[in-house]
Amino acid sequence: MAHLRLAHATSLAFGIAGSLASSLAQAQTVTPPALTGTPPADATALVAAPKDPTAAAPDLWKPNDSTNVTLAAGGQLATGNSQLLAGTVNGKFEMRRDNNGFGASLIGNYGQGAAAAGAEQHVTTENLQGRVRYDRYLSNRFSIFLIDTERHDRFQGLAIRTNVDPGVKYLFVKEETTTFWGELGYDFQYDVRLDAALIPVDANGNPIAGPLLPKTATEQSGRLYAGFKHAFNSQVTFTTGIEYLQAFASSTPGMGGDYRFNYDALFAANVSGGFSLGVGFSARYDHVPLPGKERTDTATTLSLIYSFSEPTPGKPPTCPCLPPPPPVDVAPPPPPPASNPPGFTTPPATSTAPSGPTTTPGATMPATPTAPATPTATPGTTPTAPQ
């Protein structure tokens, strides 16, 4: 008996030791949660922010398609002791389709007048400028562009001036009411001069002896532009922009360091039905103009503006859902057959007459009440009268 107890105790000790060894081995092979960066299951609620199951995903859809057209015209006519006829026209077109932007503009000014009634009139203003532009948007705020500008200005001595401007544009502020952007690029300028501007003159504009100026000239410059647009409300807007051109190479001697400024501003107030009144100002400064020409030209205009904007397209459906099919008339299904009670193969016949009492096997029915029986005499007895 003692041997059996000793064997049983030894087996129990080895079993406990094996269980402890197995537990230690499992504890060494499991990587603590702190080493994996994952909190324990019971601590997840302490480190994970709660999530709203009803919160919808942000709507990132923003339409980029737009079309804007602006036409403006103004003028002045004076007769009597002085003669004046002046007019200005301005048209602008802008269109954006996805990541592509197109633009075109046309500006023209003309004026003629005389200092006395009946005197010969002379042209005092004559310039026309057209511009086309293409932008390729690489992001919602950044684009690369190419601009071509053609300008004729009689009193600057330009038969035609061509400017080709590649560059980059960045929108620093793009809000519903305010836009501010900057442009950086290169400008190549090619001039074809009027014959009257080729004659050399002195500082007072008087012709002097000397060789004629070249008929054409080229100039290469760096270009920097800043633009700003703000809507004070739905009726009043202000737009302005300034351009700086710094020449670093020129075909004309002495003009390699020339620099120019171009500034434009427009203040417009809506009147009704797409029409607005606009007050505009523009300035052109050339540090080294042609001989006998002024450095600065300015123009102030008052014009009637008509603008048209294509409505922003609506948000497309989230899925190509098809319209539901028209309803189809379907005959109702026939009623199900009546079920038979247990023990019957055919439905029981319906009885119209009231049924009498039935007798249940093993049960005793009460006797049917009848009229009282007439007393009868029993044979061998004499009936007696009632007492």
Side-chain angles (χ1 to χ4, degrees), residues 248-273:
F248 56 81
S250 175
S251 62
T252 302
M255 297 186 66
D258 187 18
Y259 60 88
R260 291 163 285 151
F261 284 98
N262 297 316
Y263 176 77
D264 293 285
L266 176 65
F267 185 86
N270 185 39
V271 178
S272 176

Side-chain angles (χ1 to χ4, degrees), residues 109-149:
N109 298 284
Y110 178 82
Q112 64 179 36
E120 181 181 2
Q121 295 193 12
H122 299 276
V123 177
T124 57
T125 302
E126 183 182 301
N127 58 67
L128 181 66
Q129 176 177 293
R131 171 176 289 187
V132 293
R133 174 173 178 148
Y134 170 74
D135 283 79
R136 175 65 181 183
Y137 287 87
L138 305 180
S139 69
N140 198 33
R141 292 178 178 268
F142 181 76
S143 69
I144 57 176
F145 64 83
L146 179 64
I147 305 174
D148 177 68
T149 305

Side-chain angles (χ1 to χ4, degrees), residues 161-163 186-191 193 216-223 245-260 286 288:
R161 167 174 282 181
T162 300
N163 291 89
Y186 162 81
D187 172 78
F188 175 78
Q189 178 174 287
Y190 179 77
D191 288 346
R193 298 163 175 168
T216 62
T218 61
E219 191 168 285
Q220 302 182 59
S221 307
R223 178 179 179 268
L245 299 164
Q246 176 63 60
F248 56 81
S250 175
S251 62
T252 302
M255 297 186 66
D258 187 18
Y259 60 88
R260 291 163 285 151
D286 191 344
V288 185

Side-chain angles (χ1 to χ4, degrees), residues 365-376:
M365 296 295 293
T368 303
T370 60
T374 303
T376 60

Side-chain angles (χ1 to χ4, degrees), residues 5-222:
R5 290 179 180 176
L6 179 60
H8 181 70
T10 305
S11 177
L12 180 61
F14 278 107
I16 295 174
S19 299
L20 292 176
S22 176
S23 301
L24 291 174
Q26 292 180 1
Q28 291 176 357
T29 57
V30 176
T31 304
L35 299 181
T36 61
T38 304
D42 56 351
T44 302
L46 301 178
V47 298
K51 298 180 180 179
D52 185 3
T54 63
D59 188 358
L60 303 178
W61 180 82
K62 293 182 179 181
N64 288 326
D65 293 357
S66 61
T67 302
N68 300 293
V69 179
T70 303
L71 301 173
Q76 182 180 357
L77 175 65
T79 61
N81 293 317
S82 62
Q83 308 290 322
L84 176 63
L85 173 64
T88 178
V89 293
N90 186 349
K92 191 174 183 179
F93 170 80
E94 293 179 337
M95 180 177 69
R96 171 125 181 227
R97 293 295 181 268
D98 195 18
N99 292 327
N100 301 299
F102 305 91
S105 64
L106 181 67
I107 304 173
N109 298 284
Y110 178 82
Q112 64 179 36
E120 181 181 2
Q121 295 193 12
H122 299 276
V123 177
T124 57
T125 302
E126 183 182 301
N127 58 67
L128 181 66
Q129 176 177 293
R131 171 176 289 187
V132 293
R133 174 173 178 148
Y134 170 74
D135 283 79
R136 175 65 181 183
Y137 287 87
L138 305 180
S139 69
N140 198 33
R141 292 178 178 268
F142 181 76
S143 69
I144 57 176
F145 64 83
L146 179 64
I147 305 174
D148 177 68
T149 305
E150 306 291 332
R151 180 178 178 85
H152 164 78
D153 195 324
R154 176 177 176 178
F155 292 93
Q156 279 192 341
L158 299 174
I160 189 72
R161 167 174 282 181
T162 300
N163 291 89
V164 179
D165 302 288
V168 295
K169 170 184 174 181
Y170 185 79
L171 290 165
F172 296 99
V173 178
K174 186 182 180 182
E175 299 178 355
E176 186 175 356
T177 59
T178 305
T179 306
F180 173 66
W181 70 97
E183 299 176 2
L184 179 65
Y186 162 81
D187 172 78
F188 175 78
Q189 178 174 287
Y190 179 77
D191 288 346
V192 179
R193 298 163 175 168
L194 295 171
D195 293 338
L198 304 180
I199 303 174
V201 296
D202 57 16
N204 297 323
N206 299 318
I208 58 176
L212 297 177
L213 297 178
K215 179 68 175 179
T216 62
T218 61
E219 191 168 285
Q220 302 182 59
S221 307

